[in-house]
Amino acid sequence: MEAEANPKSTKSVAKISFEQLDQSFRDRMPSVTKEGKRNWIHAWQPHGKWYKMRSVLSVFYVLLFFSLPFIRIKGNPALQINVVEGKFSILGMIFWPQDFIIFGVGMVTFVVFIYLFTMIYGRVFCGWACPQTIFMEMIFRRIEWWIEGNPNEQKKLKAQPWNAEKAVKKIGKHVAFFALSFVIANTFLSYIIGTDALFQIISEPVSQHFGGFVALLFFTLAFYAVYAFAREIVCTVWCPYGRLQGVILDKNTVVVAYDYNRGEPRVKGKRTEGSAAGDCIDCKQCVAVCPTGIDIRNGTQLECVNCTACIDACNSVMDKVGLDRGLIRFASETQIAEKKPFRFTGRMKGYSAALLLLVSGLVVLLATRNDVDVTILRARGQLFQEVGADSLSNLYHMNMVNKTHQQITVELRVEEVPGRINLVGGHQLVTPAEGQAETTFFVVLPKTAIKRRDSDVKLGIYQNGKRIRTVKTSFLGYVE
Ligand code: SF4
Ligand code: SF4
């Protein structure tokens, strides 16, 4: 190892290569013991600015999660993903199977967004926005700390024989976990079937909604199993996004990283002037707070969810020993290897601009999307009919899909040229909520308005006097 000055701490440190670090951590996952059994991760509660920020954000997320299905925009749920009927409501806009193009573009945008975002900023979504982490770390873990105490007390409780204290705490925790899982399952189900259907399942006899009751029970048990038993394994093993990190991240990706150049060689105890020891005092506080049980000093690992708990823990240790903060920080491997401060590079700017463009494109696509789909076709095998002495008519079929939760009544008008519509069977077309309707109608044009044998004619679809769509079709006739 080659000793060199650390400009931040004025201590003499040893520069090492990543390959020189102990690699034995790769032998098994932190959640597995040497014997192949489950190694229960008892994480300590972090304290610091990052944890405070995550706590504030999580309050916002949790409020959003529980309130979104109840929020109505234009009478539609703010968010509903009804996979059973293939119907989605996003920000009050209803998407049907007919919207598969928007859905396809949205999915591609989403995948590219995730890919580029992860390439630049790493797995920050997992620690800061993923519902699994938010619920696990900000609610269930806090309940566990509150009932069973800190990790030392939890281990002690686990090891002690069953007595009244252990029974009360263990049963209390699992009852709280199950009750919360039940509440989450109800909300989750309302994202699929809607709040009205959920209230019916809750308020009416089980026999009338047996399927819904089974779904509710299934989701409750699934959430309970995840938060009470699976926990960090969801992030480290099950989550496909987590598994993708290995192919998305590169040396320029900003991740939660340990500055091994500054920290190594790690040595316990106080530093003396001119010591070759690095800034890491090997206190293992960063490991103690890690919810996935990893040691970030081993480098970037798939198990890291970028929760920043280790940053807070290490910063408070650095404060206590009088060294600069940031031994663990958001940084890329390149920044740490080359000892450069964080810089928003041209590559990041380029990718961020691409992300912005993609998202803007999708927003435009959504904003210009119609709640009503109209198809108008001229009746097959029909030419034209004489109407009186001065007009001709063509026969058309119309199909209208109403994507909203309200019944829509429309009327048709001929646009730009004089003419009228003769709707077969009435003046207005009524389309039921979330349904479709068909009708047949004549377009009648005065002969003076017909300039060619086959001309375009524009038809306006009006709702409450306001034009909601314009459809162009052809009109057959003759020129005198
Ligand atoms: S290594 Fe740090 S950022 Fe990664 S999961 Fe553990 S505590 Fe969170
Ligand atoms: S908290 Fe900081 S000083 Fe302590 S072991 Fe981790 S990296 Fe080293």
Side-chain angles (χ1 to χ4, degrees):
M1 290 181 194
E2 171 200 342
E4 70 173 46
N6 180 341
K8 288 199 168 193
S9 64
T10 69
K11 286 177 170 56
S12 178
V13 298
K15 186 174 181 179
I16 62 162
S17 71
F18 179 71
E19 287 69 31
Q20 285 175 278
L21 293 174
D22 178 13
Q23 303 288 316
S24 62
F25 69 94
R26 298 190 192 280
D27 294 348
R28 61 177 188 281
M29 296 185 68
S31 48
V32 179
T33 64
K34 275 184 189 161
E35 295 75 36
K37 291 187 180 150
R38 174 75 182 271
N39 184 29
W40 202 261
I41 307 290
H42 295 280
W44 284 79
Q45 184 167 22
H47 298 281
K49 73 167 185 184
W50 294 102
Y51 189 65
K52 271 191 200 133
M53 276 195 273
R54 285 176 64 216
S55 302
V56 172
L57 259 182
S58 64
V59 171
F60 168 74
Y61 288 142
V62 169
L63 287 176
L64 198 67
F65 173 79
F66 286 114
S67 58
L68 260 185
F70 296 91
I71 297 173
R72 294 281 182 274
I73 301 174
K74 289 193 272 175
N76 302 325
L79 183 63
Q80 189 181 341
I81 313 287
N82 192 340
V83 282
V84 183
E85 294 175 16
K87 217 169 58 187
F88 306 95
S89 175
I90 301 170
L91 295 176
M93 285 184 280
I94 303 287
F95 294 87
W96 289 71
Q98 289 91 335
D99 291 311
F100 71 93
I101 291 180
I102 290 183
F103 195 69
V105 172
M107 286 303 289
V108 170
T109 305
F110 181 71
V111 170
V112 174
F113 178 87
I114 291 284
Y115 191 86
L116 292 184
F117 186 86
T118 310
M119 195 187 279
I120 304 170
Y121 305 106
R123 207 177 168 177
V124 74
F125 167 83
C126 301
W128 290 73
C130 175
Q132 159 67 16
T133 316
I134 302 293
F135 279 116
M136 183 67 238
E137 300 308 321
M138 295 296 162
I139 299 184
F140 285 89
R141 185 92 65 186
R142 285 176 189 226
I143 291 174
E144 193 169 65
W145 287 324
W146 178 59
I147 295 178
E148 291 190 354
N150 65 38
N152 285 343
E153 290 164 334
Q154 287 173 20
K155 286 178 204 163
K156 197 173 147 213
L157 187 74
K158 200 174 181 179
Q160 78 186 40
W162 280 97
N163 56 19
E165 184 208 3
K166 184 167 176 170
V168 167
K169 286 187 175 175
K170 286 285 177 194
I171 293 170
K173 181 182 93 169
H174 284 279
V175 166
F177 276 20
F178 192 85
L180 197 49
S181 299
F182 178 72
V183 176
I184 294 172
N186 274 270
T187 314
F188 183 75
L189 195 59
S190 69
Y191 276 98
I192 300 173
I193 60 173
T195 46
D196 294 343
L198 178 73
F199 285 138
Q200 279 181 341
I201 293 174
I202 295 171
S203 56
E204 292 174 5
V206 172
S207 55
Q208 286 181 25
H209 301 281
F210 190 68
F213 175 74
V214 170
L216 201 51
L217 195 63
F218 172 79
F219 286 132
T220 303
L221 289 173
F223 284 120
Y224 172 66
V226 161
Y227 294 117
F229 305 106
R231 298 156 77 103
E232 78 284 350
I233 287 179
V234 174
C235 314
T236 58
V237 180
W238 297 354
C239 175
Y241 175 61
R243 311 307 296 167
L244 270 177
Q245 306 305 305
V247 290
I248 299 180
L249 304 192
D250 63 23
K251 289 195 168 188
N252 295 312
T253 305
V254 177
V255 290
V256 172
Y258 165 69
D259 186 344
Y260 50 86
N261 270 331
R262 183 185 148 191
E264 300 296 320
R266 58 190 82 159
V267 177
K268 287 187 194 299
K270 279 198 163 188
R271 300 291 181 264
T272 51
E273 198 61 41
S275 158
D279 284 357
C280 175
I281 62 166
D282 206 17
C283 63
K284 293 193 171 60
Q285 289 305 300
C286 49
V287 184
V289 294
C290 180
T292 62
I294 61 170
D295 187 340
I296 194 63
R297 295 173 300 168
N298 293 327
T300 304
Q301 294 147 78
L302 285 185
E303 293 89 348
C304 176
V305 293
N306 276 216
C307 72
T308 62
C310 54
I311 299 184
D312 278 331
C314 189
N315 279 344
S316 65
V317 171
M318 290 293 108
D319 289 348
K320 279 180 196 144
V321 297
L323 293 172
D324 290 347
R325 289 178 158 216
L327 180 56
I328 301 175
R329 60 181 186 273
F330 273 113
S332 69
E333 169 59 21
T334 306
Q335 286 162 355
I336 286 183
E338 296 171 14
K339 305 175 91 176
K340 286 180 182 164
F342 175 77
R343 206 165 51 84
F344 203 60
T345 61
R347 172 177 166 272
M348 288 179 180
K349 285 178 194 161
Y351 283 154
S352 300
L355 290 181
L356 203 65
L357 273 178
L358 274 173
V359 176
S360 311
L362 189 63
V363 168
V364 169
L365 217 56
L366 291 174
T368 53
R369 175 191 164 277
N370 292 302
D371 280 341
V372 173
D373 267 351
V374 179
T375 310
I376 295 177
L377 296 171
R378 241 174 43 79
R380 273 200 210 164
Q382 301 268 337
L383 285 175
F384 53 84
Q385 295 84 39
E386 296 271 356
V387 181
D390 60 350
S391 299
L392 298 178
S393 74
N394 278 197
L395 182 65
Y396 296 86
H397 291 308
M398 171 169 150
N399 177 280
M400 190 165 122
V401 177
N402 175 7
K403 302 172 186 171
T404 69
H405 281 318
Q406 287 95 38
Q407 171 180 290
I408 287 182
T409 304
V410 297
E411 58 175 313
L412 289 164
R413 293 180 200 169
V414 178
E415 303 283 359
E416 295 179 2
V417 289
R420 65 181 190 277
I421 304 283
N422 284 346
L423 205 60
V424 177
H427 177 62
Q428 291 182 320
L429 175 65
V430 179
T431 311
E434 302 173 28
Q436 49 183 310
E438 291 188 353
T439 191
T440 305
F441 63 90
F442 289 96
V443 172
V444 183
L445 296 185
K447 289 178 182 171
T448 51
I450 302 167
K451 304 291 181 210
R452 292 201 305 267
R453 276 183 58 79
D454 185 355
S455 50
D456 288 340
V457 61
K458 280 186 188 165
L459 305 175
I461 291 108
Y462 286 78
Q463 183 188 14
N464 300 327
K466 192 179 157 202
R467 188 171 61 199
I468 54 170
R469 292 291 303 272
T470 305
V471 179
K472 200 158 84 173
T473 184
S474 66
F475 187 93
L476 291 184
Y478 61 87
V479 185
E480 287 182 326

